[in-house]
Amino acid sequence: MARPRKQTYTMEMYLKKIQSKKICNDADVQRNFVWKKEHINELIATVLTDDYIPPIILGEEEDSQLHIVDGGCRSAALMVFRYGNYKITSSIENSVIHYKKRVSGKEGNTVWEEAVFDIKNKTYEKLPEELKEKFDEYQIETVIHESCNSSKISKYIKRYNNHVSMNTDQKAFTYIDKFAGRIHKISDSRFFTDCTSYSESDKVKGAVERMIVESVMCMNHFDNWKTQAKTACKYLNENAAENEFEMLAEYVNRLENIITDDIKDIFNKKDSFIFLTLFDKFSKLGAEDKKFAEFLRKFKNAFREVKKNKNGLLFDEIDKDLGTKDRQVIAAKLEMLEGLMKEFLHMEGEEHGQITETEAFIAENLNMDVEMVKADMDFYNESLELLLENTVRIDSGLRHEQNRPSLLAMMAYSYKNDVDLDEWLTEYAERNNSYHPDQKKNFLHMKDDLKKFQKNKNRRIA
């Protein structure tokens, strides 16, 4: 059997062949036109910007009659724009088209100038003449199977249309190109294979990538929460920072070490981003990571079935009247979970008097009374936030939560010894973007660096 031959037409020639039925787009087994307006918009923009359109596949009968095997919807969309008075809708993205405009020069000669044209709400007839020509002269590539009959054409239609189109989550992911590589790297972590209840089908269909996007949104941009995956991806592409994804990667790596089979079903397609956001809140409390796993176990086996929120609802009843991605639902779930978690950790209410690891760390390394440290922790935290805001870049590794105990210890040290940290930390952050995982070693290193800074400063003054 001969290989299919290739044939290139201008857009004008190709569409006229369809008009005259020399190329037919009505094979018996061909599906009906299923494209939405957004698909037509993007195809027209592709032509007007001279970007690539995959070849149209044709089947040729012995009498030279051509039938569209693959590309029927593309062809119908091009026809409706060129001859059907189709108006490009206002929802199109990147609607401004750059082109060369013909103008008369001073001496009556033709001069070409750079020009732009917004194709929103425009039909073919409303295009500038230059863009009409660009559309009509666009090169349509075709691949033609020869010696076909209706049976062969049906076979080819089945062959070329035997694919799965992108689902909503997969399409949404194309709008976060700036962080796509980082997201894929996070999705490849062991957490998603061993510590969640995501199925292989979920992973293939983009559910993990969507959950990562939702987690970053919920942790860092909840005031601008987007219910739809596409709008969330577009928002993060424009507003997120690299360190937000680094922080999530760090959380995922820490959870790999504590999540066991009996509680991994908590991290499912519906609620994973909520519990990852809860872990973000947990990390700021100074408790050991294993305590989080203990809380999840208590939540699953006891709290979930008996504990109610302030509105008298169990956790799984909160979303009964609204969608699971509704901002109000998410806020209510997080508020309930955070309250239960603090109750479990004995950190809510002064009567518990529970000492956190961070408080014990500061007291031990600065030889301070732990109760005094506990009483001043809110002050240390607030002061540290103000200090970081003025001295350390938002994307610096020094801001990671695992480094917070030693930073808080430095803050306590500054008040105990009446030392100002602003100048030192500004310089230190310029020289350092990371920290030692052993927070005691990290604290001693920073304290030693501060003393050297003070000595050098005193020498300069002297």
Side-chain angles (χ1 to χ4, degrees):
M1 181 183 293
R3 289 175 60 84
R5 73 176 191 270
K6 295 181 179 180
Q7 175 72 53
T8 301
Y9 301 99
T10 64
M11 179 73 75
E12 184 176 31
M13 184 187 303
Y14 177 73
L15 296 182
K16 282 186 175 179
K17 284 184 176 291
I18 293 178
Q19 274 189 316
S20 64
K21 299 295 184 179
K22 291 179 181 177
I23 297 178
C24 287
N25 194 17
D26 57 0
D28 291 342
V29 296
Q30 185 68 273
R31 63 178 177 174
N32 294 326
F33 185 69
V34 296
W35 276 22
K36 298 178 180 179
K37 290 183 177 181
E38 63 188 70
H39 301 136
I40 303 176
N41 292 344
E42 291 303 322
L43 179 65
I44 303 308
T46 298
V47 172
L48 293 177
T49 54
D50 204 29
D51 284 337
Y52 179 72
I53 295 177
I56 306 292
I57 311 299
L58 304 175
E60 185 179 54
E61 294 182 319
E62 293 294 344
D63 61 0
S64 298
Q65 176 64 56
L66 293 165
H67 296 269
I68 297 176
V69 169
D70 183 59
C73 288
R74 277 173 281 162
S75 300
L78 294 167
M79 283 290 292
V80 76
F81 178 71
R82 180 63 179 83
Y83 297 109
N85 203 37
Y86 174 81
K87 182 186 293 185
I88 296 171
T89 66
S90 59
S91 63
I92 184 174
E93 298 180 43
N94 304 316
S95 63
V96 176
I97 307 296
H98 294 257
Y99 71 101
K100 297 286 188 179
K101 180 179 181 181
R102 283 190 298 264
V103 297
S104 296
K106 293 180 180 179
E107 299 178 3
N109 56 322
T110 299
V111 178
W112 296 90
E113 292 183 350
E114 296 288 341
V116 295
F117 184 78
D118 192 337
I119 60 175
K120 284 182 181 178
N121 301 312
K122 301 297 192 300
T123 63
Y124 172 85
E125 294 301 330
K126 296 293 184 180
L127 297 180
E129 289 301 318
E130 293 85 356
L131 286 183
K132 288 181 182 179
E133 290 177 9
K134 193 170 189 178
F135 182 89
D136 290 340
E137 293 172 2
Y138 184 86
Q139 302 290 291
I140 289 286
E141 297 178 12
T142 67
V143 175
I144 302 174
H145 289 277
E146 300 175 339
S147 303
C148 288
N149 54 27
S150 59
S151 176
K152 281 189 176 181
I153 289 171
S154 296
K155 180 184 73 173
Y156 288 134
I157 288 175
K158 283 185 287 186
R159 176 185 296 173
Y160 287 108
N161 287 278
N162 185 25
H163 63 273
V164 178
S165 60
M166 295 177 76
N167 63 29
T168 301
D169 289 344
Q170 291 165 334
K171 288 179 182 177
F173 193 63
T174 64
Y175 289 88
I176 193 166
D177 54 283
K178 185 177 178 181
F179 301 105
R182 166 63 72 177
I183 293 171
H184 276 310
K185 188 173 181 180
I186 296 173
S187 70
D188 288 337
S189 66
R190 187 172 65 81
F191 174 78
F192 294 105
T193 55
D194 298 345
C195 306
T196 69
S197 61
Y198 282 83
S199 67
E200 289 305 312
S201 176
D202 290 334
K203 296 170 186 175
V204 170
K205 292 179 179 179
V208 171
E209 287 80 3
R210 175 170 183 169
M211 186 276 288
I212 292 170
V213 167
E214 290 172 338
S215 298
V216 173
M217 277 292 298
C218 198
M219 289 179 195
N220 304 283
H221 305 275
F222 193 56
D223 287 345
N224 294 290
W225 175 257
K226 311 296 181 186
T227 303
Q228 300 300 319
K230 175 181 173 180
T231 51
C233 286
K234 290 175 67 176
Y235 178 86
L236 289 184
N237 208 50
E238 297 172 2
N239 297 282
E242 185 71 26
N243 70 302
E244 294 170 2
F245 291 91
E246 289 178 2
M247 182 61 69
L248 179 61
E250 178 185 317
Y251 289 159
V252 165
N253 291 336
R254 287 164 60 186
L255 286 167
E256 288 175 359
N257 299 317
I258 60 171
I259 301 302
T260 49
D261 287 346
D262 62 316
I263 54 174
K264 72 178 187 179
D265 58 327
I266 285 177
F267 292 93
N268 52 49
K269 188 163 62 172
K270 177 182 176 183
D271 289 327
S272 285
F273 74 98
I274 290 178
F275 284 96
L276 278 169
T277 302
L278 184 68
F279 187 66
D280 175 58
K281 295 178 181 295
F282 168 86
S283 296
K284 295 176 172 64
L285 300 178
E288 293 181 85
D289 285 356
K290 65 180 182 180
K291 290 291 184 181
F292 187 73
E294 292 174 9
F295 166 71
L296 293 183
R297 200 165 286 112
K298 184 72 172 180
F299 171 77
K300 177 183 176 180
N301 298 323
F303 294 164
R304 193 163 199 158
E305 298 298 326
V306 299
K307 292 286 187 177
K308 295 185 178 183
N309 69 357
K310 61 186 180 182
N311 295 319
L313 299 174
L314 296 172
F315 180 81
D316 293 309
E317 295 175 335
I318 292 175
D319 58 14
K320 66 178 182 179
D321 295 324
L322 294 169
T324 58
K325 307 296 184 184
D326 185 271
R327 187 177 184 279
Q328 182 179 338
V329 167
I330 297 167
K333 285 185 174 182
L334 283 172
E335 181 183 14
M336 180 181 186
L337 286 170
E338 190 172 8
L340 290 173
M341 181 174 67
K342 286 182 176 179
E343 177 184 324
F344 176 79
L345 296 172
H346 306 292
M347 295 182 65
E348 189 169 77
E350 295 181 359
E351 69 276 10
H352 295 294
Q354 187 76 13
I355 304 300
T356 68
E357 285 192 1
T358 300
E359 292 162 353
F361 174 84
I362 294 172
E364 178 185 348
N365 286 282
L366 275 77
N367 193 27
M368 296 172 65
D369 180 77
V370 70
E371 292 298 333
M372 290 182 62
V373 173
K374 183 176 181 63
D376 289 335
M377 276 305 295
D378 286 343
F379 177 65
Y380 292 151
N381 276 294
E382 291 173 7
S383 299
L384 179 60
E385 288 303 319
L386 288 173
L387 177 66
L388 293 175
E389 185 177 339
N390 296 319
T391 59
V392 181
R393 298 192 321 272
I394 188 68
D395 59 345
S396 173
L398 296 177
R399 285 178 172 261
H400 284 191
E401 284 301 316
Q402 280 191 312
N403 192 43
R404 196 168 181 88
S406 57
L407 287 173
L408 285 167
M410 286 300 298
M411 182 57 61
Y413 175 87
S414 73
Y415 284 111
K416 181 181 179 182
N417 295 279
D418 195 23
V419 176
D420 183 64
L421 299 181
D422 291 72
E423 289 185 43
W424 164 75
L425 189 54
T426 299
E427 184 181 291
Y428 184 83
E430 291 176 354
R431 293 183 280 112
N432 296 274
N433 189 45
S434 59
Y435 56 90
H436 198 290
D438 185 326
Q439 285 292 278
K440 182 171 183 177
K441 290 182 179 179
N442 198 71
F443 167 68
L444 293 174
H445 168 73
M446 287 195 294
K447 186 172 71 169
D448 183 59
D449 194 89
L450 172 62
K451 289 180 177 179
K452 290 178 181 178
F453 176 83
Q454 289 174 311
K455 282 184 179 180
N456 292 332
K457 183 177 179 180
N458 290 335
R459 285 173 187 162
R460 289 195 299 269
I461 294 174

